[in-house]
Each structure stands twice: as structure tokens, then as C-alpha cells.
Amino acid sequence: FDLSRKEAERSKNMFALGLLSWMYHRPTEGTEKFLKTKFAKKPDIAAANIAAFRAGWNFGETTEDFAVSYEVAPAAKAFPPGTYRNISGNLALAYGLIAASRQADLPLYLGSYPITPASDILHELSRHKNFGVRTFQAEDEIAGIGAALGAAFGGSLAVTTTSGPGVALKSETIGLAVSLELPLLIVDIQRGGPSTGLPTKTEQADLLQAMYGRNGEAPVPVVAPRTPADCFDAALEAARIALTYRTPVFLLSDGYLANGSEPWRIPELDELPDLSVQFAQGPNHTLDDGTEVFWPYKRDAQTLARPWAVPGTPGLEHRIGGIEKQDGTGNISYDPANHDFMVRTRQAKVDGITVPDIEADDPDRARTLVLGWGSTYGPITAAVRRLRSAGESIAQAHLRHLNPFPANLGEVLKQYDKVVIPEMNLGQLAT
């Protein structure tokens, strides 16, 4: 082909690819079409690579050096038809946050402080200003969540990303978000602890911190993805809860999911949920004397969510801050009866969040159920398959919503004599 020695040697990769294509019964037309397109302006190089590719295939076909070949059947059951790409957990989570902001028609604001293994989300989101994403690398964890909560007050889909040590620092502001009743996503990519612990190793030991790690009665919903690709859907679900119920939401991923990868089917736009929100536009309450006023803590009857009033909207000025609010008016209140009512109302709002029922994978009516959450899904599923292959009867269920639990969880667990809960901690979900 009149190529230089250096150019000719480069085609040896194509010889190897041709051999592998024969060994694994892969079609060759697509590869040849790619090479012709890739080197359209260099036809000699294209011809040389195609010749090497065909030679590798023919070598496998004619030589007796390879006694075994392999055929991988289409993964039609495991992978529904669609366009797939490889994706890591942190990348999927970043894309899920962008998709949520577009579906809500809200700007996405990330207030974050770099920390392993969450920093990738900050890096990725900073690349997408064209989608209305604003990223702020703060001077510390507290500043990061403070800026995010301010963005939520201003009408953005607000996010802060961190790991376990950062959650500890953010706890007071998470409590402030509970009191202000504003949507805020707290993304915790868990790592080994306590304290600085194991920055590059995985643990799922922040569940109790997410549930209870704040002063006072400060309930926060908790959502946990189970695979790297599932981080996309979990981000959308966390945004749905935060926007619908006006509450901060914990999204509990971990280092195993963040850095792991798997095939991900790119969803069609019409498959994504409608997350649109309605900001308060005017008065929503009439006083006894007939005066129309805006009450910032007057609630939706179904969701118990308070109205979301963007600062600067005429007539909707209202008081914010961490001191207890009076029901309805939002004025500062030290009245014990009002405090009791507000504590119970905030808890009722979280308890009333609608989440899908949990389904048990139980083809043989087993007596033992393996229950998991988060990234243990992969190891649990593999173990369950091994047991079933060995003739054992075993059931499996996996939780995405950890607060509140699915309404039917108790009924499902009662159907089994024994429930085993493998976790990367000392039994926090079991507790």
C-alpha cells in the first residue's frame, strides 16, 4: 500500500480486532464501514487497515491455533431495545440533575466543596453552562450548602454534593432547610469513616446520619440508587420529592457506585417525569377583615407543602430564618402549642410522601428474604443467583426509598420466616 513502516505497523491493531471478531462471531460490516469513514481522506490507510482486519479474521478461520470460539447471544432480556452508552455513577447522577432541572424548567445551582469521591459531579456540572447550570466551588462545606440553600430561596433547583465528613458540617444548614421548607438536594457519595476515614474506599455507613444527624426534630427524605446507571433515575426521583413537598432530600450514593460503570439506555425525552412547579404569584389568604395577604406557611392540603415565593415578587415579602415559625404567617413564634404543631406537621409531610411499593423477587415462594439498599444490589443479586443455581429457594428485595419506607414494606417482610440484611456497616438499615 506504499505506506511508511510506521503507518503500516499501526494496522496491526486491526489484525487483532479481525481475529477477535472471528473468535466472538461478531459482524464485520460495521467495522469496515467505520474504517472507510474514519480514513475517508486517506484511502490508502483505509485500505491497509481493512486488509489487516480481514487478514486477522481469515487467520482465525483458517489456522488451527484456536480450537474454541465464543458466541455471545443478544442481551434482549437484560437490556431492552434502545441506544446504550457506558456510564459511571457520578456521571449518571450529574446528567440526572441536569435532566431534573430541565424537566422542572428551573436553573440548576450547585454549591459544593471538593471532596473524594463526590468531586466528579462538580467537575462534570461545571461543563454544562449551556443548560443553565451554575456551579460554585465554595471555601468550605458550610459555605457550599449555604449558597445552595440561598439559591433554593431564589427559585433554583439547588444541590450540594459531599461525602460523609461534609454531611456532618452541613447538618445545621440541612436543619435550616427543614425549617424553611425549601427544596434542596444533599448528595452524599459515601466513603469509609469515621472522621476522614477512608477517602478512596467504599462504605454505606451514613444512613443513620442522614436519618437523624441533626438537632431537633428535622425529618429528611432519603433516596438511594442501586447501580451506577440507576443514579440518573434516583436523581430525578430525589428532585421530584424535593420540589413536590418543599423539603431537603438526601441522595445516598457511594464510592462503589460513583466510580463503577455499566451500560445505560439513554431515555427518550417523553419518558422523563414532568417536574414543573408553580411559584406563588399573589395573596393566598383572606383575613377576618377581608384583607388579602400572603401566608408563606399556608399548605397544600394533599402534600402539606408550603408555597414557593421567589424574592422580589411584589406583595410576597416574608420572614425567613431558623427560629421557629408560626403556622400560616411564618412569623417568629415561641408558643409551645404552635411548636408542637409545626414539628408534627413537618414529620407528617415526610411521612405522607408517595413512594412506589417494594416488590420481592421470589419465583419459588422462599422462606428467606435478602433485603438490601444502595450498592449492595450487585453482590446480593450475584449471591442470590448462585443459590438458585444450586437449587436453593431464596427471595430478594431492594429498597430505594429509606425515608419514608414503602407503605407495603411491613406486609412484604411478614411473608418470610427470616430476613437477611447485608450492609457495608454494622447494621444501620437493620436498626
Side-chain angles (χ1 to χ4, degrees), residues 30-55:
T31 304
E32 293 191 13
K33 182 179 178 181
F34 165 78
L35 291 171
K36 290 176 182 177
T37 304
K38 175 75 173 177
F39 300 108
K41 296 182 180 180
K42 299 178 180 178
D44 289 346
I45 292 180
N49 278 281
I50 291 171
F53 176 72
R54 291 174 177 173

Side-chain angles (χ1 to χ4, degrees), residues 50-68:
I50 291 171
F53 176 72
R54 291 174 177 173
W57 195 94
N58 292 331
F59 181 75
E61 177 74 7
T62 56
T63 185
E64 296 181 359
D65 290 347
F66 301 95
V68 178

